[in-house]
Amino acid sequence: MVAYTQGLLSHLRLLPVCLSLALAGCFGAEQTALSGPQMPDSMQAQSEEAHLEPSAALVGTYGPRALYKGKDVSSIKATNIDSGIVLPDGSGGVVWVPGVSREPQNADYVDARELKLKIREMAEQLIAGCSRDGAVALPVSFVNLDNLEQTSSFGRLVAEQLFYEFNQRGFPVREYRIPGNISVRDGEGEFYLSRAIGNIAATSPNSVVVAGTYSGDRHAVFVNARLIRPRDGRVLRTANLILQPNQLTKRLLAKGSVRKMEEGVMHIRDLREVDTPVEATPFDQGQDIH
């Protein structure tokens, strides 16, 4: 009887071990690991908070405390995130490769680059599929759609950029703003281009004029271009684009809003011939004329 009781007790001692092995087979090793001794709460908090510590890839400052996986831990506000990577060093360790630090670009510079790309897109539209047949392009200033006699820095810039874009694509371009000589000005420099040469004939059989208009408001700027054959006015190709207004385009377009001085007539009389002061004009009285 005593021997039977001792054997039964031995089997009962082995029962928890068997149950653990059985559970491990049913639920996997992860459940078995969780059935072992638990880490103290203080150690768990330190371990989880360590994952939020600043490292070489993340430089930050401690902010308010936050709830992380059900625990109150310190939160971090990232102020500079490095784009570098971590690589193995071949000896069981790792090597930190810092990312390239780039300064933020100036907004006006970005807008200028975007405008250049937009004009390039328009040049592609004009040249693509165009039968050249020995044609030579003459880009001219783009004009205000509401006043074809008015342009601006924007209109002149578009024409100047098209000189470059056509030339880069193998489309011959002719410079027509040349007076025939080089002007040397003391203290200023040497000048070859000039707009003070009067009207220029564009009736050459192989000439094509690159002209266009622009129109816009505070929401969008529309630019339309065309290749025109001067001898008969035929439009060979067209192109258009839409620009989003920004500080750059506003400044360029504003240059064309200045009104030209108009002609006028003023009669000048001798002050001695004026009978009464009422008849004397401001000019007669020696005042400035505005």
Side-chain angles (χ1 to χ4, degrees), residues 11-47:
H11 286 296
L12 290 175
R13 293 191 188 99
L14 294 175
L15 181 60
V17 178
C18 294
L19 288 174
S20 298
L21 294 175
L23 289 173
C26 294
F27 299 104
E30 182 179 356
Q31 295 291 338
T32 305
L34 293 176
S35 64
Q38 296 294 321
M39 184 184 297
D41 291 342
S42 59
M43 294 180 63
Q44 285 185 356
Q46 292 176 2
S47 175

Side-chain angles (χ1 to χ4, degrees), residues 3-251:
Y4 175 80
T5 303
Q6 291 177 348
L8 180 62
L9 290 175
S10 298
H11 286 296
L12 290 175
R13 293 191 188 99
L14 294 175
L15 181 60
V17 178
C18 294
L19 288 174
S20 298
L21 294 175
L23 289 173
C26 294
F27 299 104
E30 182 179 356
Q31 295 291 338
T32 305
L34 293 176
S35 64
Q38 296 294 321
M39 184 184 297
D41 291 342
S42 59
M43 294 180 63
Q44 285 185 356
Q46 292 176 2
S47 175
E48 292 175 355
E49 189 171 354
H51 292 291
L52 297 178
E53 290 290 338
S55 64
L58 180 63
V59 180
T61 56
Y62 286 99
R65 298 186 68 79
L67 191 65
Y68 176 70
K69 291 187 177 181
K71 297 184 180 298
D72 185 33
V73 297
S74 297
S75 65
I76 297 175
K77 179 181 179 181
T79 57
N80 180 27
I81 300 178
D82 197 312
S83 59
I85 57 175
V86 176
L87 299 175
D89 63 358
S91 303
V94 294
V95 177
W96 170 252
V97 181
V100 178
S101 177
R102 298 183 182 273
E103 294 293 332
Q105 291 184 332
N106 181 275
D108 286 339
Y109 175 79
V110 174
D111 292 339
R113 294 282 299 179
E114 181 67 19
L115 178 58
K116 178 181 178 180
L117 294 176
K118 284 290 188 179
I119 298 175
R120 177 175 299 175
E121 173 189 335
M122 187 170 62
E124 292 281 4
Q125 295 179 40
L126 288 171
I127 296 176
C130 179
S131 177
R132 304 181 187 182
D133 295 331
V136 178
L138 287 79
V140 299
S141 300
F142 280 41
V143 296
N144 188 340
L145 180 61
D146 299 325
N147 183 358
L148 299 183
E149 298 295 325
Q150 182 187 69
T151 187
S152 62
S153 293
F154 178 83
R156 290 185 289 269
L157 175 65
V158 172
E160 201 67 21
Q161 189 67 29
L162 288 175
F163 269 95
Y164 169 80
E165 298 297 344
F166 271 64
N167 180 265
Q168 289 295 304
R169 284 156 183 75
F171 200 117
V173 185
R174 182 166 72 89
E175 177 57 77
Y176 49 85
R177 299 166 296 183
I178 47 179
N181 51 24
I182 299 175
S183 174
V184 181
R185 303 175 192 172
D186 187 24
E188 295 185 28
E190 299 74 39
F191 301 85
Y192 189 58
L193 300 180
S194 174
R195 289 191 172 95
I197 54 179
N199 295 329
I200 303 171
T203 56
S204 175
N206 60 345
S207 294
V208 290
V209 177
V210 188
T213 63
Y214 59 84
S215 178
D217 55 19
R218 62 189 183 91
H219 298 293
V221 178
F222 300 88
V223 184
N224 289 275
R226 54 189 65 91
L227 281 180
I228 306 172
R229 191 166 61 190
R231 69 172 184 263
D232 57 6
R234 181 180 177 182
V235 177
L236 304 178
R237 292 285 297 174
T238 60
N240 63 21
L241 58 88
I242 302 177
L243 301 174
Q244 183 177 7
N246 51 48
Q247 294 301 319
L248 175 64
T249 56
K250 289 177 181 178
R251 290 194 302 267

